[in-house]
Amino acid sequence: MSQKQLKEAFISNLNGTSLLEISAGLSLPPLCLLCRGLLLILYYLHHGKPVSSRKYSLLLDFLVLVSPLLFSCTVLSPVILFIPVILAAFCAGIFSKIYSQRKWEARVPFGQIVKEFQKAYLDPECIPAITVFRVYVNVLTSISILAVDFPQYPRRYAKAETYGTGVMDLGVGAFIFGNALVCPEVRQKSHTTQPRFSSLARQVFAVWPLISLGVGRLLSVKSIEYHEHTSEYGVHWNFFFTLASVRLAASLLLAIFPKHKAWLVALALAVLYQLLLSTTSLKMFILHGSDGRDSRLGFLNANREGLLSLFGYLAIYLASVQVGLWLLQCRSSVRGWLQALKGLALAVLVLSVLLQLCQACTEPVSRRVANLPFCTWVLAHCLLLLGFFVLTDLALVFTKLLVEGSSVPCCWKVVQPPDSRKKGVEAVQVGRQDKLSQLCLISAINKNQLLFFLLANVMTGAVNILIDTIHSKAAFTLCILHLYMFFNCLIMYILHARNIVLKFW
């Protein structure tokens, strides 16, 4: 077999992993974020000032926010279920140290701190959990697209061939979910009146970079005979085309139907598509085609997975728009977000039950056809990860109340109540924290997310061309993955430090 055939076989005919293992893995990013925040608060408690060196800030962020994920999906994957427990114990130890080492004059009874926490007001202009969710999906995707070509990355984490729940299968759906959370329809103020198709017009202008990247990927892959897994999207299709098509179709539907009814449109679309899969020959066509993969029989036959799975991804996108609208409802207090957290937990529970029912009544989860169980699974686990991030932010807010003056980048700011007269003090504090937020890898990646993803794809291709990844040893694999991710993060950090946003559309 040629090197191309070996690499294609290496990522083919896989069946995914268990839902328990994926759920355990989803708890790692929030725990890493909590650990970073607690370390910063502990540093402030000891030194009376935040970390001011950008060099040390980048190293801390990379070592705490990124490096544990690299180890967890490679050499530590056999003990993945124990890693969240170890990280949680480490975070509990740091919190205990912060609590016990507070200044004497700042020490108040624990019950009083809890009451102050529940009454605290948060900056209503931003929801850090959304930003962190989108950044971490990008980071995890960037890690996986290269790590999957190394033998240390478990085959069960890669994309399943037909049925199954792989980590990378969830990543595809999570990317759609993250894009919908910040789409124009969600960010548009409800009280503003705009032309009905204004969001569609903005999307037409906004998706052309995705289409350009899709065309660029297609041409480069075909010209250098780069290995590809055609059963993912087809001969010519790729994820850039999927994302662009879904965004355009969703904007069209949301221009026709009220956006606050997006969940109903999503439900109707997912159920009707599943009925077609179950009662017609559509599923057989997607999985087997009319005559193999012969593109002479038509563009649809050659790219049947990519084109027909758009219905499932569109349902995920529309349901995620509803989630985004719900999250952006005016909640300015900790008490309000604790209630929202209960709502997220209830939604995850309901969707998990529905997932089991869907699989029992229809078929197992399949990313390849994007069936109803796949849509339900993606929504359940994305809401679970989002809930973890909200819980992490609230835990950091509580800890910041213990250490007056401390701050954590990309975390909620405690502000004065709306009727307070201390607007000047609040403005000074917010301004000071905005400066501190510049020293944050999450903010850096968030500013240039598409560039980060593009850079990861280009570097993945370069590494695969230059290195025999399939036969790499563990130490070499870890070095390559760390260098690859650190270089990507460093570029984003430099651009952020210079306030450069490479977005011209």
Side-chain angles (χ1 to χ4, degrees):
M1 295 175 71
S2 66
Q3 188 74 5
K4 179 175 182 288
Q5 290 172 326
L6 277 173
K7 291 192 173 184
E8 287 175 352
F10 193 56
I11 57 175
S12 301
N13 302 315
L14 304 172
N15 300 312
T17 184
S18 67
L19 297 180
L20 175 62
E21 189 171 16
I22 292 177
S23 299
L26 288 181
S27 67
L28 295 180
L31 285 170
C32 291
L33 188 71
L34 178 62
C35 182
R36 192 276 303 255
L38 292 174
L39 287 172
L40 289 175
I41 294 172
L42 184 62
Y43 181 92
Y44 182 89
L45 182 62
H46 284 173
H47 297 87
K49 62 178 182 179
V51 178
S52 56
S53 169
R54 290 184 174 179
K55 178 175 65 175
Y56 291 127
S57 175
L58 172 60
L59 287 174
L60 174 67
D61 281 359
F62 184 81
L63 290 175
V64 180
L65 299 179
V66 179
S67 190
L69 305 179
L70 285 168
F71 281 101
S72 299
C73 69
T74 51
V75 293
L76 294 182
S77 57
V79 292
I80 187 73
L81 296 178
F82 299 101
I83 298 177
V85 179
I86 295 170
L87 279 175
F90 184 67
C91 290
I94 301 174
F95 177 81
S96 177
K97 195 167 186 178
I98 291 171
Y99 187 78
S100 63
Q101 293 184 1
R102 291 174 299 152
K103 295 178 181 178
W104 282 104
E105 60 271 17
R107 296 195 177 188
V108 293
F110 187 80
Q112 186 177 338
I113 296 173
V114 172
K115 289 180 180 179
E116 289 179 8
F117 169 68
Q118 291 177 337
K119 295 177 182 177
Y121 280 82
L122 306 172
D123 184 4
E125 295 301 317
C126 70
I127 303 172
I130 294 178
T131 300
V132 175
F133 176 92
R134 298 182 70 243
V135 167
Y136 255 117
V137 166
N138 211 332
V139 168
L140 291 167
T141 303
S142 299
I143 292 173
S144 295
I145 60 175
L146 178 57
V148 71
D149 295 316
F150 289 90
Q152 288 73 26
Y153 188 87
R155 297 300 88 196
R156 65 185 185 276
Y157 289 0
K159 290 178 180 175
E161 184 70 25
T162 302
Y163 295 107
T165 52
V167 173
M168 294 185 72
D169 294 317
L170 178 61
V172 177
F175 226 99
I176 298 288
F177 184 92
N179 267 263
L181 289 180
V182 294
C183 70
E185 291 82 7
V186 171
R187 288 183 280 113
Q188 180 181 330
K189 301 294 184 182
S190 57
H191 59 269
T192 58
T193 55
Q194 294 187 359
R196 197 170 189 179
F197 291 92
S198 60
S199 294
L200 178 60
R202 286 199 298 273
Q203 284 284 28
V204 170
F205 186 61
V207 300
W208 74 261
L210 292 172
I211 297 173
S212 302
L213 291 174
V215 172
R217 176 177 170 80
L218 172 64
L219 296 176
S220 60
V221 166
K222 299 300 181 184
S223 61
I224 65 175
E225 294 190 352
Y226 189 77
H227 66 277
E228 56 181 333
H229 194 192
T230 53
S231 65
E232 285 185 23
Y233 298 104
V235 178
H236 313 100
W237 202 261
N238 57 57
F239 182 68
F240 292 111
F241 292 142
T242 293
L243 186 55
S245 302
V246 166
R247 286 174 59 172
L248 284 174
S251 290
L252 177 61
L253 287 175
L254 292 172
I256 299 172
F257 299 100
K259 63 182 182 181
H260 62 275
K261 300 291 185 183
W263 70 276
L264 281 175
V265 183
L267 181 63
L269 186 64
V271 170
L272 287 174
Y273 177 56
Q274 183 60 51
L275 285 174
L276 287 174
L277 290 173
S278 301
T279 59
T280 69
S281 59
L282 180 63
K283 181 170 64 176
M284 292 298 294
F285 172 70
I286 295 174
L287 297 180
H288 305 290
S290 55
D291 185 19
R293 192 64 67 172
D294 192 349
S295 58
R296 289 175 298 179
L297 296 176
F299 183 78
L300 176 61
N301 183 63
N303 303 280
R304 52 187 182 267
E305 294 94 346
L307 291 169
L308 293 171
S309 64
L310 288 175
F311 294 105
Y313 289 122
L314 182 56
I316 293 172
Y317 190 98
L318 290 169
S320 308
V321 167
Q322 191 74 59
V323 174
L325 291 169
W326 179 75
L327 286 173
L328 288 180
Q329 290 176 4
C330 189
R331 296 183 188 88
S332 56
S333 67
V334 167
R335 200 183 299 275
W337 277 105
L338 288 173
Q339 291 297 322
L341 200 55
K342 291 179 183 177
L344 285 172
L346 179 61
V348 170
L349 180 62
V350 170
L351 286 169
S352 299
V353 172
L354 287 176
L355 173 60
Q356 299 304 319
L357 290 175
C358 287
Q359 291 192 105
C361 298
T362 57
E363 57 184 341
V365 172
S366 174
R367 172 204 45 81
R368 190 171 172 185
V369 298
N371 55 8
L372 180 60
F374 174 75
C375 298
T376 309
W377 171 57
V378 166
L379 289 171
H381 277 71
C382 285
L383 289 176
L384 177 65
L385 181 57
L386 198 59
F388 281 158
F389 282 129
V390 172
L391 182 61
T392 299
D393 276 336
L394 291 174
L396 289 174
V397 168
F398 181 82
T399 311
K400 286 195 294 183
L401 290 175
L402 298 177
V403 183
E404 187 177 354
S406 61
S407 63
V408 177
C410 293
C411 175
W412 261 312
K413 304 176 183 70
V414 178
V415 298
Q416 298 295 331
D419 57 346
S420 174
R421 297 180 181 179
K422 300 179 181 179
K423 299 294 183 182
V425 176
E426 177 187 328
V428 171
Q429 289 175 342
V430 171
R432 202 174 118 201
Q433 291 179 343
D434 284 342
K435 285 186 178 180
L436 294 173
S437 68
Q438 295 175 0
L439 307 172
C440 178
L441 182 58
I442 292 173
S443 296
I445 296 174
N446 184 54
K447 267 197 171 182
N448 287 287
Q449 288 217 44
L450 185 57
L451 177 64
F452 182 81
F453 187 57
L454 174 60
L455 190 60
N457 275 267
V458 171
M459 289 192 66
T460 296
V463 170
N464 272 283
I465 291 170
L466 297 173
I467 296 174
D468 179 13
T469 56
I470 296 179
H471 302 101
S472 298
K473 302 296 183 184
F476 181 74
T477 296
L478 288 173
C479 287
I480 292 297
L481 290 176
H482 274 84
L483 286 172
Y484 153 78
M485 285 304 297
F486 186 77
F487 180 76
N488 285 358
C489 293
L490 179 61
I491 296 297
M492 298 302 107
Y493 205 79
I494 292 172
L495 292 174
H496 184 44
R498 300 188 178 187
N499 201 28
I500 298 174
V501 181
L502 295 180
K503 183 175 180 179
F504 44 87
W505 56 91

